[in-house]
Amino acid sequence: MDPDTLLHTLLSTQTPLLPQPFSARLYTALAWGLVLAWGALWLLRQRGVRDRRLLLGLPLFFLLWCLWPGEWSPTFWLRLAFRAPSLAASFLCAWALWAHYRPQSVRFAPLDELRAWVLAPALLGWVLLLDTFALGSESLYAWGFAPLTLGVLVLLGLLPWLLRGALGLSIVLTSALALYVLLRLPTGNVWDALLDPWLWILLQADWLRRKWRRA
């Protein structure tokens, strides 16, 4: 293969690989289950609940409820309104749940490490938001289907570990990209694997809250 053909292949966005319908549906249910389970646990902890049965039972209920098929599942309505959480958000929620129930087996804190890098996903989200208005000649979102973009993001995913020793965050990012390579979840676009609107909003809200407390 000559260099021009190779470069064209790496930059091509015309033949994207999309996830299989079954794996996409299963992932959507599991991802929303993890997100709602983490949300329920976070609310219980914010309210100061100490009952171990409630701390275990309510998140588990939401996780199993999202896996329930049909219109009686919250996944059905969440998928219609918001599609699916990103792979990164799903990994972060799973890690947070694991850290709560098995704290002795957790060595890293990717959620805390992500706070030190919050400006990167925040900036990416704003650029992608502006990209929806087609202000430029090229579409940044379309680049998410190009193989070269995936390779660049894998290298960037190692930066938190190489620059600041944030190994947990690098593990989450590279694991999300690895699963994306295998299954192309959730949409076949690599930006959707790393960031979703809810994660983007929560990261900025948390950053503003911390700035407000320091002020």
Side-chain angles (χ1 to χ4, degrees), residues 5-177:
T5 303
L6 177 60
L7 182 61
H8 181 270
T9 302
L10 292 176
L11 296 176
S12 176
T13 61
Q14 302 303 313
T15 56
L17 297 176
L18 302 179
Q20 296 295 322
F22 174 76
S23 60
R25 288 195 299 269
L26 180 61
Y27 166 75
T28 301
L30 181 60
W32 279 119
L34 290 171
V35 170
L36 293 185
W38 172 81
L41 178 62
W42 181 82
L43 287 175
L44 290 175
R45 294 178 66 179
Q46 290 296 310
R47 301 295 295 180
V49 175
R50 302 292 183 180
D51 189 341
R52 297 181 61 182
R53 292 176 298 179
L54 188 58
L55 289 171
L56 177 62
L58 189 61
L60 182 60
F61 167 77
F62 278 106
L63 178 60
L64 297 178
W65 189 21
C66 285
L67 294 174
W68 189 267
E71 298 181 4
W72 293 100
S73 170
T75 302
F76 179 85
W77 305 104
L78 290 171
R79 182 173 60 241
L80 290 177
F82 308 111
R83 303 187 70 175
S86 61
L87 287 169
S90 300
F91 275 106
L92 288 171
C93 289
W95 202 310
L97 291 168
W98 184 262
H100 174 77
Y101 296 115
R102 298 293 299 274
Q104 69 279 2
S105 62
V106 175
R107 300 181 181 180
F108 310 110
L111 284 172
D112 296 333
E113 295 168 355
L114 181 58
R115 288 176 169 175
W117 293 82
V118 67
L119 294 181
L123 178 60
L124 174 61
W126 281 109
V127 173
L128 289 171
L129 179 62
L130 294 176
D131 186 60
T132 61
F133 296 100
L135 300 177
S137 58
E138 296 290 336
S139 172
L140 177 63
Y141 185 79
W143 290 356
F145 294 108
L148 183 60
T149 304
L150 176 61
V152 172
L153 289 175
V154 170
L155 296 178
L156 293 177
L158 298 175
L159 288 182
W161 172 47
L162 295 175
L163 297 181
R164 296 191 179 182
L167 180 58
L169 179 57
S170 289
I171 290 176
V172 168
L173 295 177
T174 53
S175 298
L177 291 172

Side-chain angles (χ1 to χ4, degrees), residues 184-211:
R184 297 289 160 170
L185 296 169
T187 64
N189 190 293
V190 71
W191 301 124
D192 293 328
L194 293 179
L195 192 64
D196 58 74
W198 284 110
L199 178 60
W200 177 61
I201 292 173
L202 287 175
L203 288 176
Q204 294 179 96
D206 178 71
W207 181 81
L208 291 173
R209 179 183 62 84
R210 288 185 287 114
K211 289 295 183 180

